[in-house]
Amino acid sequence: MAGSLIPGYEQTLGLGFEHLGPGGVQPVVLTSSELTDGEAFKAPEGWASYREPVWANLAVNAQELLKQGPVLLVPPWEQKLMSGRKREAQGSTLAEMLRICRPARPDSLMAVLLPATAFVSEAPWAVDCRVALAEHWDTLIVAFGEGVVVGAHSSFVVAAVFLRARAVTRPPLKIFRMSQQDDQATIAKDFERLLNRGGGRVSHGYVARAVPAPHESLAFDLYDPTLLDRRDELASFGSVRRLGDLYDSLPRVHMAEDSRWIRSDQDSETVRLIGGRDIGRDGMITAPSDDTYWAEVPEKYLLAPGDLVVGAVSRTSDLYGFRAAQVTAENLPIAANHTTIALRPRQDLEPQQVRLALMFLRTKLARALVGAAGAHVSVRQLQALTIPQPDEALTKALDDLTSVKQQLRNWEAEADTVLESVFLEKTAALARSRVIRSGRTLRLRVEAASQIDDLGYTVRTRFPYPVAYRWRETEAHLSEGDSQAAYGAVLDAAEILLCYTAQLALALVWSAGIELGAVAAIKEKFAGGRSGSGFGDWVAVLQEVATSRKLRKLPAEHPLNEIRSLLSDNDAVNACKRLNDRRNDQAHLRRVDSIDLPHAIKEAFADFETLVDNARFLADWPLLEIADVRWDSLVRTSRVQYRELMGDHPVVPIKAMTLPSNDLEPGSLYLRDPNHGLHLLRPFLIGQDCRKCRTWSTFHVDRVPKGQVLLKSLEHGHVFKDPATDTAFVMRVVGLL
């Protein structure tokens, strides 16, 4: 190597030797200038340096110097060594030199400074270098430096590997990365922290959880524990597969080696050649231009609809993932050049699988997990990439989003048609009438859609009836100006939101066969018969659901996982605590002064909104009352009539559905999750006409004095004795009595 290192990277190397070597002993820098036009590596100030005229003798000299102390070996390398036709031959020579460079003593310490390519590339010569070192040495530290060579390009990356004589037990591997733009003092402190750690991560480095095999790449991203955790989390999408399990690679046209096929102009015998630059960030293959190449290629090079093309070259500083697109019939005929990777599906894949794979490939995470050497990614690396596969719930969500996207495009096209028709009618009067009439319909669509962003509109129209009703009542009191009534309505609505969600949780937990500690407190109250359950009980249930380890084992699509999110963040927990304190103050006559009421209402409603916003999942969980079930024994299906109690009014039309089961109860309430699974809510929630106001309402058990079950309405707070005679028995079945 010719030239010198920036001070920050020199300091990093010095700290490495200071930590690993004998105290106070400076390393000797061993290098050669044979292949660098007489120029040699300039050692850090204060370090002894030895220059060997013949670089093939470096290994012998290194062994001699290692008898005296640590050595920094800097083999000569420049563009001549690392590029061009002689690259493989020169790389093999380097590997052989490293193979015969052996420790002089059991505690020998040596660092080798080379281009990072030698330690991360899959090229045969680079693999040989890593395997050669592993024969006699253990790798302790890999320190990458980008732009740290004075006079070299800022994107050029080097790596120093610290080696100690091979031991019976392999030591942990520490990997660090810095650039010329990093603050020197910060980098030095961070590197010192890493040197003193036995595991975990610092800002610029980490301790690898497992030591890679000698032939494997040492790319920084491959073993980063943060990235590995994110890779493991991909299974939460449904499942994971290797890209190579789904796609086979296709041959590509090399622009230099296959130049005999390439043409600058299109004719009847040629097909378009596409490269990485022809793949847009939006996942579309760009239209041909004056710079497009054409080629006469064998049939095996031709791409087909459904094939994927992925850019194989990108800048190391790129903030995005891979450029990736799916080939369509409109793109044909085309073939891929060597700056792309072409893949063909091994089997028929669902559109959702392809869509999610393409979305993931375009992320920075995908590029990091590949662990590519520099700007290039190989076919093998890309096919080894783990990609997420959607489960049923995610598949439906992707389908819904695709439908929404298409619907919006249709509306846009309809609006364009109306605008373009202004002067196409026979008379101005007809044109005016058509624009006004059609414009009104489009405007109403957009206005209705835009209201979904309004939390109040969403709650009033899409939340379950008990919550939606209480929200509407709260808004009405807030608008009337009666501060006491408004304040009470906010606290009531917050309690009903938590009560309703807690009742769902209790029903789902019981059906899943999981016990909650919070149920014991509720059971004790019912057994006493004097006091009913309240705000604190619902909070206790939801907090236990949010933190319970037992629930972590449930499938990702189980609705309890959504309920866990209600009180999963500090904002919601704190809002819940403040509302609970206000509720207790109201109950114990510690009422807010009339002067302070407006501010108290504002704060309480803001906390209530925080909880409602966290409970948006309720909009996807219809509350159903089963009206009638008719089983057809011949076709083995049930014709089910039901009311969907969503929105702020209980009067809704009867709907129908067909199910392959006959275990639904007419008159009972059910929760329907996004996967269309039905969950019985009895006896936690009961729907019937209120005996006091004669309005259909939802009820939960309030008290059980002397074995008599008293129900309480979520909508109106009315309490009366349950007319059903078996409710107490059913409560014992589910563990509430």
Side-chain angles (χ1 to χ4, degrees), residues 134-170:
E135 289 182 9
H136 306 290
W137 301 90
D138 285 327
T139 302
L140 307 179
I141 302 172
V142 182
F144 292 100
E146 181 178 2
V148 298
V149 179
V150 177
H153 194 277
S154 60
S155 64
F156 187 64
V157 184
V158 298
V161 292
F162 287 82
L163 309 163
R164 194 183 296 283
R166 189 168 180 177
V168 176
T169 304
R170 295 185 68 180

Side-chain angles (χ1 to χ4, degrees), residues 559-730:
L560 275 169
N561 288 317
E562 289 275 21
I563 294 179
R564 287 165 61 88
S565 67
L566 177 58
L567 298 183
S568 62
D569 60 79
N570 290 331
D571 289 342
V573 171
N574 292 333
C576 196
K577 183 180 184 305
R578 289 190 293 267
L579 289 168
N580 191 21
D581 291 342
R582 292 180 184 276
R583 190 68 164 167
N584 286 335
D585 288 343
Q586 283 284 93
H588 294 87
L589 302 181
R590 295 189 292 268
R591 302 191 184 279
V592 179
D593 188 89
S594 58
I595 297 176
D596 299 324
L597 260 180
H599 183 67
I601 292 172
K602 182 178 180 181
E603 289 185 338
F605 190 71
D607 286 338
F608 177 41
E609 283 187 310
T610 298
L611 296 181
V612 172
D613 194 47
N614 270 24
R616 282 182 182 266
F617 56 84
L618 292 176
D620 291 328
W621 293 2
L623 175 64
L624 307 185
E625 182 193 30
I626 304 301
D628 185 47
V629 180
R630 294 189 179 184
W631 173 252
D632 189 324
S633 300
L634 296 178
V635 297
R636 311 296 296 175
T637 59
S638 292
R639 177 70 172 175
V640 181
Q641 292 185 321
Y642 65 96
R643 296 181 180 88
E644 187 173 281
L645 298 160
M646 302 296 281
D648 58 13
H649 203 284
V651 180
V652 293
I654 290 181
K655 299 182 179 180
M657 60 181 170
T658 301
L659 296 175
S661 62
N662 191 28
D663 58 353
L664 299 182
E665 302 175 358
S668 291
L669 296 179
Y670 285 81
L671 166 72
R672 186 172 68 193
D673 64 34
N675 293 327
H676 298 281
L678 295 178
H679 306 268
L680 177 64
L681 300 180
R682 184 175 66 92
F684 304 96
L685 284 175
I686 298 169
Q688 61 182 4
D689 291 335
C690 178
R691 291 201 164 190
K692 291 191 175 182
C693 65
R694 304 298 187 266
T695 304
W696 189 96
S697 307
T698 52
F699 295 86
H700 70 91
V701 176
D702 181 47
R703 288 171 291 158
V704 190
K706 298 180 180 180
Q708 296 182 353
V709 178
L710 298 183
L711 302 180
K712 185 177 182 179
S713 166
L714 277 71
E715 292 80 12
H716 311 103
H718 296 161
V719 179
F720 60 83
K721 181 181 176 182
D722 182 17
T725 58
D726 64 342
T727 303
F729 171 76
V730 177

